[in-house]
Structure formats: structure tokens, C-alpha cells
């Protein structure tokens, strides 16, 4: 039997100032969902909004909806809704495209500001698409204009001044590592970059909606982020991009689509960029997808981000304690930092059978995920993850490990998981 | 009174082999919708599918849906569904991003195949975002690698051999002009381009779903297109991109996101492009938006594209006849070609009061649109536009013109329309 005191967990849930938020979400039946760091859950309001946009807006008002229902303003209005969650004053954030496409824009724009420097520094374990974007731009421009230099995260943290120097054009960092959950000290790294004249692009994929972010205070230059993880915008939902106001006047990005034009509906054959963050728009944005993001963000109304962070860390600490109390801490090697300040909102554990265990957990309705080569990843989403959830998850994991049910043949086959 | 024989129109509708398709769509009440060339209407099946994806897939199965509901295959499966509508064998079309972003990829890839040539030819009246993409890439790469040369459509048609020559790298043409509805002789223009070693990118925004397109037969090199017009995929729905199979082996495009990697879920730090058309993918695609496109395409099952084209032209000829019969042909100058083979699926009319007349029409539930400087544009979507619709539209227009109701102050104010 697992040693979990569910009565105590129920009391913690009762005392949780964010507890009421859980009812906004559709929680899959009997399920502990620890994968909000991959795909956040649906809110009831989002479902209703999508239905309304499809039937009443597109269905009834069709083309008139662009003005009648303010479709045309969605990218900026959603951006302005994201802004306070990432510590940005309004007018610097816009919702559009994917992180990949937005990184291409940000990196091109940043390099253009850094005439004479070509080195883009990133960590070898950054999320691959971030690195691919540098490689794609480097292939297009040539290494004399864009050269990727990969560094070990540990080296960067040990001695940022050795890694980021006067030859660095751009530093591209993801605040929270997707594999290990390690959180980088962005403010310090940005200060170091600026001290030597480098610009910084921050990827907030695993930060936005999970903890306070302070882009303006950090003096970040550009940032990108994801709305389908902690912001619950829906599968493949449009991303966002932040451009610090001080860069807007000299901004130029190459994927210069008509929505980024100063006057899109003038149908001018010559591109004149919008003087605002709208320049970051390219083609016509998906209204269905962006409306879902817009509705999902309402779950953050009145949320104190420090409170959110406190709960995130409390959930992860509880997970670690219960692993220990159930004799599981020995077999699952936590590869996430032990210091809470150095962590995002997830924990990752190395285990030789991580893939099979993850499958067995999913079968037992504990949705975690697997990341190569052998990591079990559990994410904590304070708006809907309860303390009881953590107890249930560890209890089910404990049963799986005791019964060795993950050794069943159906869990052993290895295939791609997203 | 207008002279319109509605009994005859009803008989034409009864005899229309495509008439049954109309019931698949949600037609706004009492409305004649002549703007499917801007935003196609919703099908009932699309509404149902979006609901299912939101509630049963995202809502209940959450992250598991990527495999369980084949979300991960959507871009290619939707591409393969579009392929027969544009004359392409499977494996050459993929659904993703916007036309703008896809043009950036196609143009970068095409220029890379054309080492030593830098001239990109397009028409001055091409849809602006197409031209902006060339300008954005030119700004990024420098004119020695990418230089836009704008030509008059009339000059191109009069003497393609003079316009497209041995210095031409890429010819970027939209088959049907968004403003005038003129349809270019793509097969002939592609043959001329190939004769001098140029590559061709075709924009099918106003073609796909409106008429037969024969990309493979034409030997087009690249194509892009829109799914939210005649394909009814929803506002801002993801676009598509076609790459001729012969180019796939040497393909390289710079917006090299993780979904375009040969093994996206290996999380390899080095980009290795997929050897298939999947290389054209960048970031995570919007599942809601793409599912809507997927469902909408089912309206084309069993549709004979030549029959579709015949009806499209019959509708436009009827519109012209009824204008004439109602004494309106003199005041509306048709700027679309008089020869049906040279037209797309729309008609455009110059009128000094086009903006106000368009507003009055919309007020009378005839949804047309306005394009600068003074054009009234009416689009025909054979799957849901009926012959009776055309009669109703002209009757309402006739009343507006007789009563001069478009002179009402509420129709006079000019603002952006999409």
C-alpha cells in the first residue's frame, strides 16, 4: 500500500487560493493530467467561444465578422492579454504564427540590428526547433552573417562572461529547459549580454502561464512563446512574439506579409512596415485558433502570478516527498535541479524503463510524458492540478512499480510520442 | 421593377447537377453571399468536426490525441485531399502556415535552385502580400541575390518572351487576379519560363476550388494557395504549398522548423530535413484550424471540377445578362475580361460610388465586396451559389440604384474592409 494521507491533501486543496480555477477546465474523467507543459487542457469558456465563432460569427455573419466581431484586431488584443503574464507593457506583444516562424523573424530582426557581428549563441540542449531556426537562417545568409555557436548549459551558467563576449551578436535562450525543467537566470544572462553589446531572444515556451516573467524589467530584447502549454490555447495554437518598445522604431523583419503592412487594406504594392509590433504579423491569422487562445486566457483573470508560482513549486515538492515516502525516489533519478528557484513547473526523472513506465501511467490515467533518451516528465499546472492529483499520481505510480505492470508487452513498444 | 424571370432561374437550379451541394452549407438567412472569394461559408460538417475536435479530442483525450486522432498527420492528409483539386499527384502538397509564409519558403527554395540568377518577376497588380514577400527576402539577402522586377500584366500577356528571359530566376504569378478576376494562361507562361531556365511559383488563392487546376500537367515548380476562399476552410485557415516532386530531393527552405525535420520526435539538435514535402512544415500546426479545413474539403467529394467551372461561368454570364436586362450595364463598367476563358470565378465592376453601393448591397443582404480604388467585386461559388441567388442579387442592386439608397449618409463613410 502506498503511504499517502489523502485527508491532508484534501485540506491543502481546500486551502488553495487557486482551487476555484479548476472548475473552469474540462478535466478528463478519472484522470490526473500532468502534461499541461505539452498541451494545456480545455476551458469550458474556450469550447463555448469556439462554438460561437464558428456558428454565430463565421456561420451567420461570414465576411462581415472581420469588422463586426473585431477579428482583425485579435492578434494585438490577444497579445495585450498575454503581456501582463510576461511582464510586458502593452503594445509589445502580438499573437501570430508558430514559435518557429516567430523566432525566424526575431532572429533576422536582431541580427540586422547587430551589424558586423554574426555569432548566435544557444545551448546544445535548447528545444530543437530554436536551433533549427538559426541553422535555417545561417544556411540562407551564410555563416559570415549568421553562425550558430552551441554551448553547454553548464558552461554558460558557470561562467557567462567567458561564453558571451564582444563577438556575440545574439543570445537565444529558452528560460526553462524542456527536458530537465532547469530554469536559467535570465535577468543575469541578459545583463551580461547587454554589457558586451549582445541582444537576447528569450523563448518562454515553458514559462508563460507557469510563473512570473519580467521581460520589461529584465530588459529582454525579443521573446517568443507558446500558447498551447500553460496558457491552454489549444493544440498547435498560435504563438506570441515580444519586441521591446525601444527596438520598434528600427524594426525590420523579412517575412513581411500584408497583415504587417502599415495599411494592409490599402493594397499598396510596396511594403511599408507598420511602425508598431503589428509589423511582426505576416499572413492572415487563423481566427478559430486565435479566438480559442483569447478565451483560454480569461482563466488567468485575477491570478497572482507569484501565487501561481508558489503552488507550482508546492506541487512539485509534494511529488518529490511522496516519491520518497513511497520508496520510489531511489529508482527515479530526478534530473531537475533540487533548488526550487532553478526549476520551471515540471520535474524530470531518469529511469531505464521510462518509456514503458510512462505508457503504463497513461494506461492508469496519469498523463505524463516521455522525452528521449529515458526521461519521465511530469508537469504541474497550478490552475487545474490539485494536491490530491499528486497523491493519486504517486499512488498509481507506486502500484505500477510494485506490480511491475510496466513490463507488460503492450507498454514496451517504442514509438514517437509528442 | 426589375425584369427577372425567377421561374426560369428556379428551373436552372432544379437542373443544376451541383444543386444538392448547397444543403451542405450554412447559408446566412435571406442572404445572397457573393463573397466566397474572400471567405467561403461554413459547412455543417465543419461545424460538427470543430466541435468534436474541441470537446472529444482536445477536451477528453488531450495530448493523446496527437496519435489517437492522427493530429500529427493532418498537414499531409489535408494536403493530399487538396492535391486532386489542383491537379497534383499525392505527396506534393501540404497544408500549413499562411500563403505569405509559404511564399517565403517557396521563393527561398526556388532561388537556391537558381544559383547565379537573382531576378524575380511578378506583376505590379499581383496580390500585395506576394510582392511583399519578395521585398522582404530581397531586403534580407540583398538585391544581388533577390531582386523584384514588376511588370505590367498586359505587357506579360502581350509578349511573355520579352518579359521572361535568360536572366529570370523565378516567375511569381497569381493565376487569377484578385482585383480584376483576370485569369492568366499559366500553362503557356510556365512553358515560356522553363524554355529560358526560369522557375515558376503559382499563387492559386483565387483558383483552388473554383476551377480545374493542373499543376502537374503544367509542370509548375511551386505553388501556394488559400483554403479560406473557395475551399471554405474558415477565417484565416492554414494555406497550402505544392512542391513538384522533381524538386523534392534537392529542396531546402530556411524556415526549418521541427515539424519539417526527418524525425521531429528524436529531438535532434541538428536539422535534417524530411526528404518529403513535409520539409515545408515549420512549427506545430493548429489542429483546430486544420481540422476545419479537412472537414470543409469533404464538400468537394464527387465534384467534377469541369462541371464546377461550367457553373461558375454560367453564374457570371447570368449576372452580366441580368445587369444588361435591368439597364445597369451602362453604369457598372466590367473590368473583368469579356472572354470567359480569361476569367476566374468573379466579376469586378468599376463605379465611382462602388464603396457606398457595396455597403448598400450588404445592408440589403447581398454580400459583395469592395476593392480599392473603386471596384465592386462579386464572387461565384458554384457549390452554394444558385441561379436564383444571382437573380435576387441583381434585383436588389437594381432597387438600390433606382432608389439611389446608396446615397444615404450611413453608406458613405469609407473605412477599411477586408
Amino acid at each position: 500500500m502506498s503511504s499517502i494521507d489523502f485527508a491532508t491533501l484534501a485540506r491543502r486543496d481546500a486551502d488553495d487560493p487557486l482551487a476555484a480555477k479548476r472548475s473552469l477546465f474540462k478535466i478528463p474523467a478519472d484522470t490526473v493530467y500532468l502534461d499541461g507543459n505539452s498541451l494545456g487542457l480545455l476551458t469550458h469558456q474556450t469550447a463555448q467561444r469556439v462554438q460561437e465563432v464558428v456558428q454565430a460569427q463565421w456561420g451567420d455573419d461570414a465576411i462581415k465578422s472581420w469588422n463586426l466581431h473585431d477579428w482583425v484586431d485579435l492578434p494585438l488584443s490577444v497579445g495585450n492579454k498575454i503581456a501582463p503574464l510576461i511582464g510586458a507593457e502593452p503594445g509589445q506583444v502580438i499573437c501570430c504564427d508558430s514559435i518557429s516562424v516567430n523566432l525566424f523573424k526575431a532572429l533576422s530582426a536582431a541580427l540586422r540590428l547587430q551589424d558586423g557581428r554574426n555569432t548566435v549563441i544557444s545551448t546544445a540542449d535548447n528545444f530543437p526547433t530554436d536551433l533549427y531556426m538559426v541553422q535555417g537562417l545561417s544556411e540562407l545568409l551564410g555563416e559570415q552573417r549568421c553562425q550558430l555557436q552551441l554551448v553547454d548549459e553548464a558552461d554558460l551558467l558557470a561562467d557567462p562572461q567567458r561564453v558571451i563576449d564582444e563577438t556575440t551578436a545574439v543570445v537565444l535562450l529558452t528560460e526553462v529547459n524542456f527536458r530537465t525543467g532547469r530554469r536559467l537566470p535570465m535577468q543575469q544572462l541578459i545583463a551580461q549580454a547587454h554589457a558586451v553589446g549582445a541582444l537576447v531572444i528569450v523563448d518562454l515556451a515553458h514559462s508563460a502561464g507557469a510563473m512570473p516573467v519580467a521581460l520589461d524589467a529584465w530588459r529582454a530584447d525579443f521573446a517568443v512563446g507558446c500558447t498551447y502549454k500553460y496558457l491552454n490555447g489549444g493544440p498547435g495554437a498560435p504563438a506570441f512574439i515580444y519586441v521591446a518598445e525601444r527596438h520598434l522604431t528600427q524594426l525590420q523583419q523579412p517575412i513581411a506579409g500584408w497583415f504587417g503592412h502599415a495599411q494592409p487594406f490599402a493594397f499598396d504594392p510596396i511594403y511599408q512596415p507598420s511602425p508598431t509590433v503589428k509589423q511582426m504579423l505576416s499572413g492572415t491569422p487563423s481566427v478559430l485558433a486565435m479566438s480559442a487562445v483569447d478565451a483560454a486566457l480569461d482563466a488567468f483573470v485575477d491570478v497572482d502570478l507569484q501565487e501561481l508560482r508558489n503552488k507550482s513549486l508546492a506541487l512539485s515538492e509534494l511529488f518529490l516527498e511522496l516519491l520518497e515516502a513511497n520508496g520510489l525516489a531511489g529508482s527515479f533519478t530526478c534530473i531537475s535541479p533540487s533548488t526550487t528557484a532553478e526549476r520551471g513547473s515540471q520535474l524530470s526523472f531518469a529511469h531505464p524503463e521510462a518509456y514503458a513506465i510512462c505508457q503504463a501511467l497513461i494506461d492508469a490515467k496519469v498523463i505524463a510524458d516521455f522525452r528521449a533518451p529515458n526521461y519521465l516528465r511530469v508537469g504541474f499546472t497550478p490552475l487545474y492540478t490539485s494536491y490530491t492529483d499528486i497523491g493519486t499520481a504517486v499512488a498509481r505510480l507506486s502500484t505500477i512499480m510494485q506490480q511491475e505492470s510496466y513490463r507488460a508487452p503492450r507498454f514496451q513498444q517504442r514509438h514517437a510520442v509528442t
Side-chain angles (χ1 to χ4, degrees), chain A residues 380-395:
Chain A
F380 309 101
T381 39
L383 293 191
Y384 54 79
T385 306
S386 67
Y387 295 97
T388 301
D389 272 347
I390 302 301
T392 307
V394 177

Side-chain angles (χ1 to χ4, degrees), chain A residues 360-396:
Chain A
L361 273 172
I362 292 169
D363 206 54
K365 299 198 170 183
V366 176
I367 312 301
D369 68 19
F370 167 81
R371 283 292 177 269
N374 63 339
Y375 301 131
L376 179 70
R377 199 174 73 151
V378 289
F380 309 101
T381 39
L383 293 191
Y384 54 79
T385 306
S386 67
Y387 295 97
T388 301
D389 272 347
I390 302 301
T392 307
V394 177
R396 292 182 189 173

